[in-house]
Amino acid sequence: MHALADLIHRRARLVLALTLVLTVAAGVVGAGVVGSLSDGGSSDPNAPSAIAQRQIAAATGVSSEPGVLALVHAHGPVSAQPGRALVARVVRAMRSQAAISRVLSMLDVQRPAALLSKDGHATIVMGFFGTSASDGAATAAAERIKRDLGGERGVSVGGSQLTFSQLDDAIAAQLPQVELIAFSILLLLSLIAFRGLVAAALPLMVGAIAVAGSLLIMRALAQVTSLSVYSLNLVTGLGLGLAIDYSLFVVYRYREELARCGHCAEALERTLGTAGRTVAFSSLTVSVALLSLLVFPQRMLSSMGIAAAIVTIFAATAALIPLGAVLALLGPRVNALSPARLQRARKKAEGPVAEGHWYRLATRVMRRPALVAAACSVCLLLVGLPALHLHLGATDSRVLPAGSSARVVDAHLATDFAADAVNPVVALVHAPPDSAVALSRYRAQLAQLPGVATTAPATRIAGDLWSIDLLASHPPLSSQSQHLIAAIHAVPTAYRVALAGVAAEQYDQAISLRTHMLLALMILAATTLIVLFKMTGSVVLAIKSLLMNLLTLSGAFGILVLVFQDGRLQGLLGYTSTGSLEQTNMIILFIIAFGLSTDYGVFLLARIKEAHDGGASDKVAVATGLERSGRVVSAAALLFCAAVGSLAASSVASLKEFGVGAALAVIIDSTIVRALLVPALMGLLGRANWWAPRRLRPLCGRSWVHPGDVVRKRIAAEAAAAPAHPRV
């Protein structure tokens, strides 16, 4: 870092000029990334249900699932003439759209009872998109149908295409409001955390550079691979959060070095050699954690891993190079425009380490380390107990704001209809053309399974492909329907059978996520251990940090299960519980929260390691490290919670889950874990904290003590040891 700091200090204006040009160019070019991103991508393309759906679509030329639904209510029986006329108008509106290749209604099926409500006053009309229709064309057609039928009394339009379209619209409409709330809170908290207007503006600069650069790289990647549109929200939120974290750490350290050696190249060199090195390790651990999402075949997860890792690297780079150049130019003026009260607080924090609040807290904790460690561990384990009953599910219309047409339609389908005709389980059977009799017996076996309402006769759709439609008695994402899928798989048959439909998709999705999650966790644990060992030179600290992260996450997920899965606080938070947590959302949350926990752990361990390498005793090193990093970690956690916790104000339940979950993980980690559990365990272990096998010690990084301090300490020791010469 010495050469980099020297270059930045000598060429600060040139560095900032180049940064400005590159950031503006990246922002202009990267702004077009939205048109290059795709929706969806939450399913495993290699799952049996996905393959079966593609085979059905190839054989029929029509999507296997309806994309648009119209719920038709009549004053009397819908099968009467006025109701039939209304259904006919709905059918004409759907067929007028070129993207829709097939329309199914009570008017053109042999047994319309399956499409009628239990009281006979409502029916459902289904529109199926052609396989050649793009996602954009399908969404546009669904929106036009909704608009054309908007004047028809008793008609509500929904379906999967509108569900995701309305979800996107709700997120897009509310994000500016949420971001305005977050920005207002962040502005006030940044002034307090950075203790000055000039310093508070620096993370905004770092965040802008990180986001602009990431959008440019994402647009380039979108030309060669598929990236999800949902990764954009992650880039902006995570980019701003990490920019705050890294800027805090660099600015706080620069202020320390200014007080020590004044405005000179050495101050910047010391800052980048310590805080800059910590930021580099932190960004490496966070980006590696995020890249573990690449093991998932779901495009949404892998693209979010790529996007998040990119913005992490850009945030670290911006906090080292452009921010370093700004600090080199500002010097003591980094403390300008600071209210007198905040100036006094800053000067007090620059006083003797042993007089600090965090130092005294660590000292008290280490007087009874076993008691504190046991109490904190038991507390976190008890809070995390509900996570043992975690149930993951897929997104459905219940995450939408109340009153959304797609949610209204699905609610009526779930309550007013005896069977789910919209989401049949399709058994795709590979059998010879003369297998009608055998398939009739197989269909009879399926009809006897619990949860099956009705079954349709086997239909030959291609050469050796037959389909049997089963209507379930329960919604496709319910546990009963998932048990039904497992029961169908267990029915013996001489033919190869694959299941398609929403229930089968969810069943295969759960298997895919569980399988790949194990590999992702193994990669996450291995890479985190390697990076932390490289930073600390200790196997014990690396393993302990990994266990601390898991305790943090268990506590956060335990509370999420209590609140969102079990349906508590629905009135206060304004959401409808689905009895599960959204599966892809929770995986992303787990990886990001794990990375952030490691991030804060790196901040703390770096200062402890620096004090230890400087010759401090184990307990003094822990107390000094907590004193020097406690304020930074607390401020960073508070600011990050303000940024991501503002998502709880959204009316979209999945955003609430993510915002509350991320804020909980950060709060638990920055309070119970970093302030109490870590110093307690380090005080309990003593010198064992720094143990590493002899063969691995050469792989450790260099000492965290500045070379100048080493030289000065050696000179002072030599002077003290030299014999005194009497004056002649």
Side-chain angles (χ1 to χ4, degrees), residues 472-491:
S473 304
H474 303 281
L477 301 182
S478 65
S479 59
Q480 295 94 331
S481 289
Q482 295 304 293
H483 292 152
L484 174 60
I485 297 297
I488 295 173
H489 281 303
V491 174

Side-chain angles (χ1 to χ4, degrees), residues 193-454:
F194 284 89
R195 294 168 177 170
L197 281 174
V198 172
L202 297 179
L204 299 180
M205 177 199 75
V206 175
I209 296 170
V211 172
S214 300
L215 293 180
L216 176 63
I217 300 298
M218 285 180 64
R219 183 165 188 184
L221 287 173
Q223 308 307 312
V224 295
T225 187
S226 180
L227 296 180
S228 171
V229 68
Y230 298 111
S231 59
L232 274 179
N233 296 336
L234 184 62
V235 163
T236 54
L238 190 62
L240 183 58
L242 290 175
I244 292 171
D245 284 1
Y246 296 156
S247 299
L248 264 170
F249 208 68
V250 171
V251 170
Y252 268 61
R253 187 55 186 253
Y254 186 70
R255 281 170 165 165
E256 285 185 34
E257 301 304 337
L258 275 179
R260 180 187 308 194
C261 53
H263 182 205
C264 59
E266 184 182 352
L268 185 60
E269 178 196 333
R270 284 175 171 271
T271 299
L272 295 189
T274 51
R277 189 178 172 192
T278 304
V279 166
F281 272 110
S282 173
S283 64
L284 180 61
T285 55
V286 174
S287 58
V288 166
L290 294 166
L291 285 175
S292 64
L293 289 170
L294 289 176
V295 306
F296 293 95
Q298 289 79 8
R299 188 177 69 246
M300 185 179 75
L301 290 176
S302 58
S303 63
M304 284 193 169
I306 294 172
I310 289 172
V311 76
T312 299
I313 297 299
F314 268 98
T317 304
L320 293 177
I321 299 176
L323 179 58
V326 171
L327 293 176
L329 292 176
L330 286 176
R333 288 173 293 180
V334 72
N335 299 320
L337 301 181
S338 175
R341 184 176 179 180
L342 295 182
Q343 289 185 42
R344 290 193 298 270
R346 175 175 53 81
K347 291 177 180 178
K348 182 180 179 181
E350 293 171 354
V353 175
E355 296 179 4
H357 165 74
W358 294 100
Y359 189 99
R360 294 195 301 271
L361 173 63
T363 302
R364 287 195 296 269
V365 166
M366 288 186 287
R367 287 175 187 162
R368 294 180 177 83
L371 178 62
V372 174
C376 292
S377 300
V378 169
C379 176
L380 290 175
L381 289 173
L382 288 175
V383 172
L385 275 179
L388 295 176
H389 308 291
L390 173 67
H391 178 64
L392 298 178
T395 298
D396 63 20
S397 60
R398 285 175 291 179
V399 305
L400 290 170
S404 301
S405 64
R407 180 172 175 176
V408 170
V409 170
D410 284 356
H412 281 288
L413 283 173
T415 57
D416 298 346
F417 289 72
D420 190 354
V422 171
N423 299 298
V425 177
V426 181
L428 184 66
V429 185
H430 295 259
D434 59 351
S435 304
V437 175
L439 291 179
S440 178
R441 290 194 296 269
Y442 175 61
R443 173 204 169 199
Q445 288 180 283
L446 298 180
Q448 300 302 314
L449 295 175
V452 174
T454 61

Side-chain angles (χ1 to χ4, degrees), residues 26-226:
V28 171
V29 177
V33 71
V34 179
S36 305
L37 303 178
S38 60
D39 199 354
S42 60
S43 61
D44 183 352
N46 300 315
S49 58
I51 296 173
Q53 287 173 357
R54 291 196 294 269
Q55 291 175 330
I56 294 172
T60 62
V62 179
S63 174
S64 60
E65 299 172 7
V68 182
L69 305 174
L71 180 68
V72 180
H73 274 279
H75 291 293
V78 74
S79 56
Q81 184 56 37
R84 295 174 67 87
L86 181 57
V87 171
R89 290 197 294 273
V90 172
V91 170
R92 284 195 299 271
M94 285 194 181
R95 286 178 175 160
S96 68
Q97 301 301 318
I100 291 185
S101 297
R102 179 188 177 206
V103 178
L104 192 63
S105 73
M106 56 174 277
L107 303 179
D108 46 21
V109 295
Q110 294 180 349
R111 294 185 297 174
L115 299 180
L116 297 178
S117 63
K118 288 179 282 189
D119 63 3
H121 289 189
T123 185
I124 195 75
V125 180
M126 296 179 280
F128 296 78
F129 292 109
T131 54
S132 60
S134 66
D135 188 68
T139 300
E143 294 288 355
R144 281 194 294 269
I145 292 171
K146 183 176 183 299
R147 185 180 63 247
D148 293 344
L149 295 175
E152 293 287 355
R153 188 176 180 182
V155 177
S156 301
V157 182
S160 60
Q161 200 68 36
L162 273 180
T163 294
F164 290 106
S165 174
Q166 290 178 354
L167 180 60
D168 290 345
D169 292 343
I171 292 174
Q174 292 175 13
L175 271 182
Q177 177 185 358
V178 170
E179 289 173 352
L180 180 61
I181 295 172
F183 184 81
S184 302
I185 297 173
L186 282 174
L187 195 60
L188 176 61
L189 294 179
S190 293
L191 175 61
I192 298 173
F194 284 89
R195 294 168 177 170
L197 281 174
V198 172
L202 297 179
L204 299 180
M205 177 199 75
V206 175
I209 296 170
V211 172
S214 300
L215 293 180
L216 176 63
I217 300 298
M218 285 180 64
R219 183 165 188 184
L221 287 173
Q223 308 307 312
V224 295
T225 187
S226 180

